[in-house]
Amino acid sequence: MKFSLFNESKSREVIDLFKIVFSASEGEEEGQVVADFVSNLIATTAPQDLIGCIAEENEIVVGCIFFSRLTVPSGQVAFILSPVAVLTDVQSTGIGQKLIKYGLDHLKSLDINLAFTYGDPSYYSKTGFEQINESIVKAPCHLSQPIGWLAQSLDGQVIQPMVGSTQCVEALNDPGLW
Ligand SMILES: CC(C)(COP(=O)(O)OP(=O)(O)OC[C@H]1O[C@@H](n2cnc3c(N)ncnc32)[C@H](O)[C@@H]1OP(=O)(O)O)[C@@H](O)C(=O)NCCC(=O)NCCS
Protein backbone atom coordinates (compact mmCIF):
# COMPACT_ATOMS: atom_id res chain seq x y z
CA MET A 1 0.00 0.00 0.00
CA LYS A 2 1.39 3.37 -1.02
CA PHE A 3 0.26 6.60 0.68
CA SER A 4 0.89 9.95 -0.97
CA LEU A 5 -0.46 13.46 -1.33
CA PHE A 6 -3.21 14.13 -3.83
CA ASN A 7 -2.40 16.14 -6.94
CA GLU A 8 -4.73 17.25 -9.72
CA SER A 9 -3.56 14.52 -12.11
CA LYS A 10 -5.57 12.15 -9.88
CA SER A 11 -8.78 14.26 -9.93
CA ARG A 12 -10.82 12.07 -12.26
CA GLU A 13 -9.86 8.84 -10.51
CA VAL A 14 -10.60 10.30 -7.09
CA ILE A 15 -13.99 11.77 -8.07
CA ASP A 16 -14.96 8.38 -9.54
CA LEU A 17 -13.83 6.65 -6.33
CA PHE A 18 -16.11 8.83 -4.19
CA LYS A 19 -19.01 8.27 -6.59
CA ILE A 20 -18.62 4.48 -6.59
CA VAL A 21 -18.05 4.15 -2.83
CA PHE A 22 -20.91 6.41 -1.72
CA SER A 23 -23.31 5.01 -4.34
CA ALA A 24 -22.64 1.56 -2.86
CA SER A 25 -23.03 2.65 0.78
CA GLU A 26 -25.70 5.40 0.58
CA GLY A 27 -27.36 4.99 -2.81
CA GLU A 28 -26.71 6.50 -6.23
CA GLU A 29 -28.16 9.93 -5.48
CA GLU A 30 -25.83 10.41 -2.51
CA GLY A 31 -22.94 9.06 -4.62
CA GLN A 32 -23.54 11.86 -7.10
CA VAL A 33 -23.86 14.48 -4.34
CA VAL A 34 -20.49 13.47 -2.85
CA ALA A 35 -18.82 13.24 -6.28
CA ASP A 36 -20.08 16.76 -7.11
CA PHE A 37 -18.85 18.01 -3.72
CA VAL A 38 -15.35 16.55 -4.30
CA SER A 39 -15.24 17.92 -7.83
CA ASN A 40 -16.20 21.37 -6.51
CA LEU A 41 -13.71 21.12 -3.63
CA ILE A 42 -10.85 20.41 -6.06
CA ALA A 43 -11.94 23.08 -8.55
CA THR A 44 -12.68 25.98 -6.20
CA THR A 45 -10.30 25.60 -3.25
CA ALA A 46 -7.00 27.50 -3.25
CA PRO A 47 -4.04 25.08 -3.23
CA GLN A 48 -2.87 26.31 0.19
CA ASP A 49 -6.34 25.55 1.63
CA LEU A 50 -6.64 21.94 0.44
CA ILE A 51 -4.68 18.81 1.38
CA GLY A 52 -5.69 15.50 -0.14
CA CYS A 53 -4.16 12.12 0.59
CA ILE A 54 -4.52 8.93 -1.39
CA ALA A 55 -3.86 5.25 -0.81
CA GLU A 56 -2.85 3.22 -3.87
CA GLU A 57 -2.52 -0.49 -4.44
CA ASN A 58 -0.97 -1.61 -7.73
CA GLU A 59 -1.26 1.97 -9.05
CA ILE A 60 -5.01 2.03 -8.38
CA VAL A 61 -6.48 4.56 -5.93
CA VAL A 62 -8.25 2.55 -3.21
CA GLY A 63 -8.73 5.33 -0.65
CA CYS A 64 -8.87 9.11 -0.53
CA ILE A 65 -9.34 11.82 2.09
CA PHE A 66 -9.41 15.61 1.92
CA PHE A 67 -8.62 18.22 4.53
CA SER A 68 -9.64 21.83 3.83
CA ARG A 69 -8.88 24.98 5.76
CA LEU A 70 -11.22 25.95 8.59
CA THR A 71 -10.69 29.52 9.72
CA VAL A 72 -11.13 29.72 13.50
CA PRO A 73 -11.40 32.85 15.66
CA SER A 74 -8.40 31.98 17.87
CA GLY A 75 -6.09 32.51 14.88
CA GLN A 76 -4.74 28.95 15.17
CA VAL A 77 -4.28 27.01 11.95
CA ALA A 78 -7.06 24.45 11.51
CA PHE A 79 -8.17 22.02 8.80
CA ILE A 80 -11.29 19.90 8.55
CA LEU A 81 -11.32 16.31 7.29
CA SER A 82 -14.11 15.65 4.77
CA PRO A 83 -14.84 13.51 2.88
CA VAL A 84 -13.30 10.05 3.37
CA ALA A 85 -13.72 7.00 1.14
CA VAL A 86 -12.19 3.55 0.89
CA LEU A 87 -13.03 1.27 -2.04
CA THR A 88 -15.88 -1.04 -1.04
CA ASP A 89 -13.99 -4.30 -1.69
CA VAL A 90 -11.17 -3.40 0.69
CA GLN A 91 -13.13 -1.68 3.47
CA SER A 92 -12.54 -2.77 7.07
CA THR A 93 -8.94 -3.76 6.35
CA GLY A 94 -7.39 -0.75 8.11
CA ILE A 95 -6.82 1.44 5.03
CA GLY A 96 -9.10 4.27 6.23
CA GLN A 97 -7.36 4.57 9.59
CA LYS A 98 -3.87 4.36 8.06
CA LEU A 99 -4.76 7.02 5.50
CA ILE A 100 -6.17 9.36 8.15
CA LYS A 101 -3.06 8.86 10.31
CA TYR A 102 -0.86 9.58 7.28
CA GLY A 103 -2.84 12.78 6.68
CA LEU A 104 -2.71 13.89 10.32
CA ASP A 105 1.08 13.33 10.38
CA HIS A 106 1.38 15.51 7.29
CA LEU A 107 -0.73 18.24 8.94
CA LYS A 108 1.55 18.08 12.02
CA SER A 109 4.63 18.41 9.78
CA LEU A 110 3.10 21.68 8.49
CA ASP A 111 2.62 22.95 12.08
CA ILE A 112 -1.17 22.87 11.75
CA ASN A 113 -2.67 23.20 15.23
CA LEU A 114 -6.13 21.66 14.98
CA ALA A 115 -8.01 19.05 12.97
CA PHE A 116 -11.79 18.84 12.85
CA THR A 117 -14.19 16.44 11.22
CA TYR A 118 -17.92 15.72 11.11
CA GLY A 119 -18.94 12.08 11.20
CA ASP A 120 -19.37 8.93 13.23
CA PRO A 121 -17.59 9.42 16.60
CA SER A 122 -17.05 5.67 17.00
CA TYR A 123 -15.07 5.55 13.75
CA TYR A 124 -13.12 8.80 14.00
CA SER A 125 -12.20 8.21 17.67
CA LYS A 126 -9.90 5.45 16.33
CA THR A 127 -7.66 8.19 14.90
CA GLY A 128 -7.75 10.58 17.86
CA PHE A 129 -10.87 12.68 17.22
CA GLU A 130 -13.14 13.49 20.15
CA GLN A 131 -16.54 15.07 20.33
CA ILE A 132 -16.40 18.82 20.76
CA ASN A 133 -19.27 20.96 21.93
CA GLU A 134 -20.17 24.01 19.89
CA SER A 135 -19.79 26.06 23.07
CA ILE A 136 -16.02 25.39 22.63
CA VAL A 137 -15.74 25.80 18.85
CA LYS A 138 -18.70 26.62 16.62
CA ALA A 139 -19.24 24.66 13.43
CA PRO A 140 -19.30 26.74 10.22
CA CYS A 141 -22.83 25.54 9.33
CA HIS A 142 -25.86 24.33 11.29
CA LEU A 143 -25.20 20.74 12.42
CA SER A 144 -28.03 18.31 11.71
CA GLN A 145 -26.19 15.84 14.00
CA PRO A 146 -24.22 17.76 16.68
CA ILE A 147 -22.93 14.44 18.05
CA GLY A 148 -20.76 14.20 14.93
CA TRP A 149 -18.81 17.45 15.51
CA LEU A 150 -15.29 16.21 16.31
CA ALA A 151 -11.84 17.67 16.81
CA GLN A 152 -8.31 16.97 17.96
CA SER A 153 -5.33 19.07 18.87
CA LEU A 154 -2.22 18.39 16.77
CA ASP A 155 0.22 20.47 18.81
CA GLY A 156 -0.30 19.02 22.28
CA GLN A 157 -2.24 22.06 23.54
CA VAL A 158 -5.70 21.59 25.00
CA ILE A 159 -8.38 23.09 22.74
CA GLN A 160 -9.54 26.31 24.41
CA PRO A 161 -13.05 27.76 24.06
CA MET A 162 -13.21 30.26 21.19
CA VAL A 163 -15.59 33.17 20.89
CA GLY A 164 -16.83 33.84 17.37
CA SER A 165 -17.70 31.96 14.23
CA THR A 166 -15.66 29.62 12.05
CA GLN A 167 -15.46 29.66 8.27
CA CYS A 168 -15.00 26.70 5.96
CA VAL A 169 -14.01 26.78 2.28
CA GLU A 170 -16.71 27.59 -0.28
CA ALA A 171 -17.30 24.01 -1.48
CA LEU A 172 -18.03 22.86 2.08
CA ASN A 173 -20.18 25.88 2.85
CA ASP A 174 -23.35 24.05 1.82
CA PRO A 175 -25.97 23.38 4.53
CA GLY A 176 -26.95 20.15 2.75
CA LEU A 177 -23.56 18.64 3.58
CA TRP A 178 -23.97 19.26 7.33
C1 LIG B 1 -15.97 4.70 6.61
C2 LIG B 1 -14.75 4.21 5.85
C3 LIG B 1 -13.97 5.41 5.31
C4 LIG B 1 -13.86 3.44 6.82
O1 LIG B 1 -12.67 3.05 6.17
P1 LIG B 1 -12.18 1.53 6.29
O2 LIG B 1 -10.86 1.44 5.63
O3 LIG B 1 -13.26 0.64 5.78
O4 LIG B 1 -12.08 1.35 7.88
P2 LIG B 1 -10.87 0.78 8.71
O5 LIG B 1 -10.51 -0.56 8.14
O6 LIG B 1 -9.79 1.77 8.84
O7 LIG B 1 -11.53 0.62 10.12
C5 LIG B 1 -12.40 -0.43 10.33
C6 LIG B 1 -13.12 -0.21 11.60
O8 LIG B 1 -13.98 0.91 11.50
C7 LIG B 1 -15.33 0.49 11.66
N1 LIG B 1 -16.12 1.20 10.67
C8 LIG B 1 -16.02 1.09 9.34
N2 LIG B 1 -16.91 1.92 8.74
C9 LIG B 1 -17.58 2.55 9.73
C10 LIG B 1 -18.62 3.50 9.77
N3 LIG B 1 -19.18 4.01 8.64
N4 LIG B 1 -19.05 3.90 10.98
C11 LIG B 1 -18.49 3.41 12.11
N5 LIG B 1 -17.53 2.51 12.13
C12 LIG B 1 -17.06 2.07 10.96
C13 LIG B 1 -15.35 -0.99 11.43
O9 LIG B 1 -16.36 -1.59 12.20
C14 LIG B 1 -13.98 -1.40 11.92
O10 LIG B 1 -13.97 -1.55 13.33
P3 LIG B 1 -13.11 -2.70 14.01
O11 LIG B 1 -11.71 -2.50 13.55
O12 LIG B 1 -13.30 -2.45 15.47
O13 LIG B 1 -13.71 -3.95 13.49
C15 LIG B 1 -15.12 3.28 4.66
O14 LIG B 1 -15.77 2.15 5.17
C16 LIG B 1 -15.99 3.96 3.63
O15 LIG B 1 -15.46 4.53 2.67
N6 LIG B 1 -17.32 3.89 3.78
C17 LIG B 1 -18.26 4.49 2.84
C18 LIG B 1 -18.14 5.98 2.77
C19 LIG B 1 -18.25 6.66 4.14
O16 LIG B 1 -19.15 6.36 4.93
N7 LIG B 1 -17.30 7.59 4.41
C20 LIG B 1 -17.25 8.27 5.70
C21 LIG B 1 -18.06 9.49 5.74
S1 LIG B 1 -17.26 10.85 4.90
Side-chain angles (χ1 to χ4, degrees):
M1 185 72 51
K2 182 180 148 210
F3 297 98
S4 61
L5 295 178
F6 166 82
N7 67 65
E8 286 199 12
S9 70
K10 299 283 180 188
S11 294
R12 189 69 263 161
E13 201 178 349
V14 158
I15 293 163
D16 288 346
L17 172 85
F18 279 97
K19 185 168 180 179
I20 291 164
V21 170
F22 277 85
S23 293
S25 70
E26 318 277 333
E28 267 185 39
E29 203 175 313
E30 185 63 13
Q32 192 59 54
V33 167
V34 178
D36 290 345
F37 162 50
V38 171
S39 176
N40 196 10
L41 190 65
I42 294 168
T44 65
T45 310
Q48 67 272 21
D49 295 342
L50 187 67
I51 298 168
C53 306
I54 57 173
E56 286 173 293
E57 187 76 74
N58 301 323
E59 314 267 305
I60 292 175
V61 177
V62 295
C64 183
I65 61 176
F66 281 99
F67 296 90
S68 56
R69 190 177 299 276
L70 184 73
T71 305
V72 297
S74 66
Q76 290 166 294
V77 183
F79 274 70
I80 180 164
L81 170 64
S82 177
V84 176
V86 171
L87 203 60
T88 312
D89 290 354
V90 291
Q91 284 175 5
S92 284
T93 62
I95 296 170
Q97 287 171 68
K98 285 190 195 134
L99 189 54
I100 294 169
K101 281 182 191 147
Y102 171 85
L104 292 171
D105 283 345
H106 182 67
L107 263 53
K108 285 179 196 167
S109 78
L110 298 175
D111 291 329
I112 292 165
N113 306 106
L114 301 166
F116 290 81
T117 194
Y118 182 49
D120 187 332
S122 69
Y123 182 67
Y124 290 103
S125 64
K126 293 174 194 287
T127 46
F129 288 95
E130 293 177 357
Q131 282 178 260
I132 181 162
N133 195 285
E134 280 202 276
S135 62
I136 309 292
V137 184
K138 284 198 171 59
C141 286
H142 172 75
L143 299 175
S144 59
Q145 301 205 43
I147 189 182
W149 183 228
L150 312 172
Q152 65 177 290
S153 168
L154 301 177
D155 61 9
Q157 305 293 313
V158 174
I159 303 176
Q160 301 293 336
M162 299 177 196
V163 179
S165 56
T166 60
Q167 176 79 50
C168 60
V169 300
E170 194 186 322
L172 197 50
N173 195 19
D174 171 354
L177 296 170
W178 296 83

